Amino acid sequence: MTANDFFSNVLATPGNTGNAVGSAVTSANVEKLPGLNTLGVSVSRIDYAPWGVNPPHVHPRATEVIFVLQGSLDVGFVTTANRLYARIVCAGEVFVFPRGLVHYQRNNGGGPAAVLSAFDSQLPGTQPVAEALFGASPPVPTDVLARSFQIDGGLVEAIKSKFPPK
Ligand code: MN
């Protein structure tokens, strides 16, 4: 090991938010920062274009605390009782997303926004809800999704087309 195993500049550069959802997550987890191994923490930055969304997702292995660096965000999570806890969070403020719950953020301002995210895992894992269901490889059967969402198969296929398998 050297000092560089405990160092990263990966968070120094804003992520490219020029994508369909208008946000970018840059992670300093154990894959980028080997010195985190066994330590149970990691950190990310999230950048948002105006009105950009970090789509609903879960972290199976971590609670997340965001600290707003710039801008103003609508944030929320949904409990296992299906209750939404949501509010506005502004620069200098923090908000907690408890482990394993579906959560999201949206930049509610006309300028860029950014947050620092802290996790109690060296590798929190991220599962975006829409991609998990509509972009899995091999695909989740269309009839399963049609019945589950109570919509027709054509609409399921239309949504799947937005999430081509990687
Ligand atoms: Mn998150």
Side-chain angles (χ1 to χ4, degrees), residues 53-124:
V53 170
N54 184 15
H57 63 277
V58 300
H59 305 290
R61 292 181 291 275
T63 289
E64 175 177 9
V65 183
I66 61 165
F67 172 72
V68 182
L69 299 168
Q70 178 184 15
S72 169
L73 300 161
D74 289 318
V75 306
F77 66 84
V78 181
T79 70
T80 55
N82 226 23
R83 180 179 169 87
L84 173 67
Y85 288 80
R87 60 160 294 157
I88 296 172
V89 188
C90 297
E93 299 174 343
V94 301
F95 194 82
V96 180
F97 303 107
R99 176 186 303 256
L101 298 183
V102 173
H103 61 280
Y104 62 86
Q105 304 100 33
R106 183 189 65 163
N107 180 1
N108 66 21
V115 308
L116 186 73
S117 285
F119 298 92
D120 64 335
S121 168
Q122 67 189 35
L123 194 63

Side-chain angles (χ1 to χ4, degrees), residues 33-58:
L33 189 52
L36 289 176
N37 193 32
T38 77
L39 298 182
V41 297
S42 59
V43 64
S44 296
R45 68 176 291 161
I46 312 171
D47 294 282
Y48 311 84
W51 316 112
V53 170
N54 184 15
H57 63 277
V58 300

